[in-house]
Amino acid sequence: MDISYWDVIVEVPALWDRHFTYSCRSLLEIPYGAKVRVPFGASTCDGYVVGRGTPPGNLDIKEIAEIYDLRFLPPPELLYFGRLLAEGYSAPLTSVWSCFWPPVAGRKKVPDADFEQAPPPGTRPATEDIFSPAKKEMGRPREEGLEDGCSQAVLVRGTREFRWNHYLDRIKECLEKGLQALILVPEISCIPYAAERLKSLPGDVVSVIHSELTGVTRRNAWLGVLSGEKPVALGTRSAAFLPVTGLGLIVVDEEESDFHKSPEGPFYHARTVARLRAQAAGAELLFGTSHPSVLSYRLVSEGRFSLVDQDRSGKSVDCIVVDLKGMPRFRGIIAPQTEQHLKQTFSLGENAFLFLNRRGDSTQVTCEDCGHVLMCPMCKAPLVRHSRNSYLVCHTCGRKESPPERCPNCGGHRWRFSGFGIERAQREFVKKFPDVPVVRIDSDTARDGPADRALQGLEGAGPVCLLGTQMALNLCRDVPRLGLVGVLSSDSLLNLPDFMASEKVYHLLCKLKELLEEGRPGSAVGSAQGAKKRFVLQTLNPHHHAVAGLSDPVAFYEEELANREALGYPPFGSMFKVSFVGKQEGRVEEAAGVFAGECMKRSGDINVLGPSPAPKSKVRGNYIWQVALRGQDQKTLSKACLDAIAKASGVRGVRVSVDSDPVSMS
């Protein structure tokens, strides 16, 4: 029987791209980068062919079980681009290459696999092993970090309509040159607007790809991009890895959004991937936003990004800051000043949107006899009381339980409900405005039906109040006659131990304010009386630069940059977040301690913060510890990190993950 041998890197993160040799009952070539299913230990896992294997001695070599559909084999330039990302993100190459394959690619057993067809044009021979010394220079990452500039990069700042008008002009020019364009939006809820705007392009040229598509639709869309049949690809963050071969333009809309950041390994940021792909392909790069990220603001100020800016001087929104510290006796949720502005808005026949990003009724349930707080047994998180069905829920893992009659600690039966969520805010609003209908939009009400259904019927004559969490933001962009947006609280975000906290709050407030700036015109009554739209912010931190930035954006960016520069935080340095997860807290703490100790042995160019329990120190029964590394040079951090992981890997039962481009330390 004819047998060939192949080197495979298996998708087991702890092994970090270690080679294993497998056999195949065929002498035909398996393409470089082909995705395969192989036996590993007592189970099977995915892996990637990286070259010919050496015939073994007396070892029992296992066979490759299945090969994934080779129609989805990424082009060679994309496979080699993956090396740059893997090194930059301090991640296994397998975790990056897995992003290049769609989750809907089928596979066949080796004897049945169709090897008669030649590999896709341009595929590198299987004998080209990216790890062999002779091939080190091929596709070698440039001597640069993940955040270097791009020669053809432009920041487009303005309203959504303004940005998309500019995008469309550049996309048309790209298509006229015979090139392809890649368009990234932060959320699936942004896809309909983008797809509608792209309909103005001549012909059937747009391929839409996101996770909610059916398998067949997603597979066909992927192949349409790979073949070049659909030269414009539209999707969310994972679309950054689409096999667009003749790449001439990349657009990242709402570049400041954290939804562009993957919450799972390799923890990539679509904004960063887009910049690196544009550099590698010599493509034009457009970042779009109405309130730039701190990084993009700095790149523009240093001349590394060009700026296309919209004149927005005609926009008229009153920003009203309600200082809650000045009302020590106030114990409600809707402050008296906010209540007065709501009355004026409703008297004009206009609608209002009140924002509170907390679900439930009370955020903490405490025994009044002993002070015991009811906690989730699987997570170190307080259980939140929901008045609907009177249950307690963990907002970390989703666990639900009925409230106990007696305290499990002392047997007491008196409970104190502290903190407030959106359910309590709804009850308070109904008491203050019994004649104004209120529509609540959060993940709890969404279970009763699609959230957008709740917005139907707002075209009527009477005023309505919308009360929502963050999931309502995109839905509320086109609310008719929106005269007021109120923020009931955002202070909990400002108080997080996170170097990005101020920027997150600033972007959130800007996005809420833009609901008034970009929405439909107000009522005829309001227009006749010259009434301005109102943005009302209740806060305990009225002088914080994230709050002041609503009226003076430049002041926000300059103070935020000065604060980060003083402490060496990005974009003035590099920062890694290394997480240790396991079922046994002692082992997790031990592994984090070994890792931190190894990093501390390095020279003084690395600042080690930790080890310490993560802000969410227990999730779904797993304990989590963290170590943060801070330094000027990313490569130095990466090498120190990988060397220390090798030492910490001796602690069994602990998973280690590295986020070299964190947007949050929580």
Side-chain angles (χ1 to χ4, degrees):
M1 180 185 298
D2 293 331
I3 297 178
S4 57
Y5 297 94
W6 302 93
D7 270 355
V8 176
I9 50 175
V10 293
E11 200 170 329
V12 179
L15 298 177
W16 217 274
D17 299 332
R18 183 178 170 186
H19 283 220
F20 294 88
T21 300
Y22 288 88
S23 64
C24 179
R25 285 177 288 170
S26 170
L27 292 179
L28 296 176
E29 294 292 317
I30 301 178
Y32 170 82
K35 187 174 182 179
V36 294
R37 192 75 180 170
V38 295
F40 192 81
S43 184
T44 60
C45 68
D46 289 336
Y48 301 88
V49 172
V50 293
R52 284 281 190 178
T54 302
N58 297 323
L59 296 177
D60 182 21
I61 301 299
K62 296 180 180 180
E63 292 185 41
I64 294 175
E66 296 175 306
I67 298 181
Y68 282 81
D69 191 339
L70 293 177
R71 292 180 300 168
F72 297 98
L73 182 71
E77 62 269 23
L78 202 54
L79 291 171
Y80 277 75
F81 173 71
R83 287 195 60 202
L84 186 149
L85 292 180
E87 291 188 17
Y89 279 119
S90 300
L93 181 63
T94 52
S95 69
V96 176
W97 275 5
S98 67
C99 299
F100 295 156
W101 286 76
V104 293
R107 59 180 187 254
K108 294 183 179 180
K109 294 187 179 298
V110 170
D112 302 323
D114 185 5
F115 291 106
E116 300 303 322
Q117 298 180 2
T123 302
R124 296 187 183 277
T127 52
E128 291 196 23
D129 183 347
I130 62 173
F131 297 96
S132 65
K135 301 300 178 185
K136 281 285 186 180
E137 295 302 312
M138 300 186 67
R140 184 175 61 87
R142 298 182 178 91
E143 297 297 323
E144 58 185 63
L146 285 180
E147 296 297 353
D148 285 347
C150 181
S151 59
Q152 301 182 73
V154 179
L155 180 70
V156 183
R157 182 170 63 183
T159 63
R160 182 168 61 164
E161 182 180 9
F162 173 83
R163 300 195 306 268
W164 276 92
N165 287 341
H166 188 81
Y167 300 160
L168 288 169
D169 288 341
R170 305 307 296 162
I171 294 171
K172 289 174 183 176
E173 292 180 14
C174 176
L175 296 179
E176 289 171 358
K177 296 176 183 177
L179 298 174
Q180 293 178 257
L182 176 59
I183 319 297
L184 304 178
V185 295
E187 301 178 72
I188 293 177
S189 61
C190 300
I191 292 284
Y193 177 86
E196 185 64 29
R197 294 302 305 269
L198 291 171
K199 285 182 180 179
S200 64
L201 297 174
D204 183 13
V205 296
V206 180
S207 185
V208 179
I209 298 179
H210 56 77
S211 59
E212 290 188 359
L213 295 176
T214 62
V216 173
T217 302
R218 194 172 185 181
R219 180 168 61 245
N220 292 340
W222 190 284
L223 292 174
V225 171
L226 182 59
S227 67
E229 178 184 347
K230 298 290 185 70
V232 178
L234 168 65
T236 49
R237 62 173 175 258
S238 62
F241 299 102
L242 285 174
V244 183
T245 52
L247 193 57
L249 172 69
I250 303 180
V251 175
V252 183
D253 193 38
E254 297 187 40
E255 59 87 19
E256 81 291 345
S257 174
D258 282 351
F259 286 104
H260 286 301
K261 173 74 175 182
S262 173
E264 302 174 345
F267 299 103
Y268 66 90
H269 200 301
R271 181 178 60 199
T272 304
V273 175
R275 293 178 63 194
L276 293 173
R277 285 200 72 177
Q279 289 174 354
E284 183 181 8
L285 176 65
L286 299 181
F287 280 178
T289 182
S290 56
H291 37 97
S293 63
V294 170
L295 169 64
S296 294
Y297 180 88
R298 183 174 183 240
L299 292 173
V300 170
S301 64
E302 293 181 345
R304 290 195 278 168
F305 267 42
S306 301
L307 176 65
V308 174
D309 205 0
Q310 180 186 20
D311 180 9
R312 305 177 73 180
S313 57
K315 296 295 179 181
S316 179
V317 173
D318 271 351
C319 289
I320 303 156
V321 177
V322 179
D323 184 2
L324 296 180
K325 286 195 301 184
M327 295 182 289
R329 296 182 180 178
F330 173 65
R331 293 294 181 266
I333 301 175
I334 302 173
Q337 191 175 349
T338 304
E339 183 179 353
Q340 289 302 314
H341 287 292
L342 284 167
K343 288 180 179 178
Q344 294 172 20
T345 297
F346 296 146
S347 69
L348 297 172
E350 295 182 332
N351 297 322
F353 171 53
L354 296 180
F355 175 83
L356 179 62
N357 205 32
R358 296 179 194 159
R359 291 165 50 210
D361 183 283
S362 304
T363 55
Q364 187 168 293
V365 182
T366 307
C367 174
E368 289 194 337
D369 294 322
C370 70
H372 175 73
V373 177
L374 295 180
M375 306 286 286
C376 174
M378 299 300 292
C379 309
K380 286 188 176 180
L383 291 170
V384 176
R385 178 175 178 266
H386 285 241
S387 56
R388 183 182 183 183
N389 300 326
S390 298
Y391 57 76
L392 304 178
V393 62
C394 173
H395 287 174
T396 298
C397 70
R399 175 189 176 93
K400 294 181 181 179
E401 60 183 54
S402 300
E405 293 184 3
R406 294 192 172 273
C407 173
N409 185 56
C410 72
H413 56 82
R414 296 184 303 155
W415 300 105
R416 181 173 69 252
F417 303 106
S418 55
F420 59 87
I422 197 168
E423 291 181 13
R424 183 177 158 195
Q426 182 179 10
R427 291 203 308 273
E428 184 172 315
F429 178 88
V430 171
K431 289 181 180 179
K432 292 180 180 295
F433 300 95
D435 298 326
V436 178
V438 59
V439 178
R440 199 179 96 218
I441 303 176
D442 59 22
S443 57
D444 294 319
T445 60
R447 295 190 184 99
D448 298 330
D452 54 357
R453 185 185 303 168
L455 300 177
Q456 296 175 2
L458 295 184
E459 298 286 355
V464 174
C465 181
L466 304 174
L467 181 61
T469 58
Q470 190 148 356
M471 71 170 292
L473 285 184
N474 284 324
L475 293 172
C476 292
R477 271 177 154 160
D478 294 316
V479 171
R481 308 184 327 278
L482 186 62
L484 180 146
V485 170
V487 181
L488 299 180
S489 176
S490 63
D491 296 300
S492 59
L493 295 176
L494 282 176
N495 296 326
L496 291 175
D498 193 330
F499 77 97
M500 293 283 289
S502 297
E503 182 177 357
K504 291 175 186 292
V505 171
Y506 173 72
H507 289 313
L508 174 61
L509 297 180
C510 285
K511 193 167 185 178
L512 286 162
K513 181 169 173 270
E514 285 159 9
L515 295 177
L516 297 169
E517 296 174 338
E518 298 187 9
R520 299 192 225 170
S523 69
V525 175
S527 300
Q529 297 182 7
K532 288 185 177 181
K533 296 182 178 183
R534 300 176 177 90
F535 180 76
V536 182
L537 170 61
Q538 299 183 173
T539 179
L540 293 166
N541 299 277
H543 303 298
H544 194 282
H545 63 290
V547 174
L550 290 169
S551 301
D552 189 353
V554 173
F556 162 75
Y557 288 108
E558 295 302 323
E559 183 169 346
E560 182 67 14
L561 285 169
N563 292 344
R564 295 196 196 180
E565 185 175 22
L567 297 171
Y569 285 128
F572 297 97
S574 294
M575 193 160 191
F576 283 23
K577 180 176 72 174
V578 186
S579 300
F580 302 81
V581 183
K583 296 290 185 182
Q584 298 184 31
E585 187 173 19
R587 290 188 177 182
V588 174
E589 182 179 359
E590 179 187 356
V594 171
F595 174 88
E598 289 297 318
C599 291
M600 289 176 183
K601 294 178 183 178
R602 311 280 299 195
S603 60
D605 53 358
I606 295 179
N607 187 7
V608 181
L609 307 176
S612 62
K616 292 184 178 180
S617 58
K618 186 182 180 184
V619 176
R620 295 180 175 87
N622 288 294
Y623 294 93
I624 307 173
W625 280 61
Q626 284 183 184
V627 177
L629 303 180
R630 192 172 63 196
Q632 289 298 313
D633 182 61
Q634 187 184 43
K635 289 190 174 181
T636 300
L637 288 183
S638 181
K639 187 177 189 314
C641 181
L642 296 180
D643 290 346
I645 286 176
K647 298 287 186 179
S649 62
V651 182
R652 298 178 61 85
V654 180
R655 302 190 305 276
V656 185
S657 63
V658 181
D659 187 349
S660 63
D661 190 13
V663 298
S664 172
M665 300 308 293
S666 60

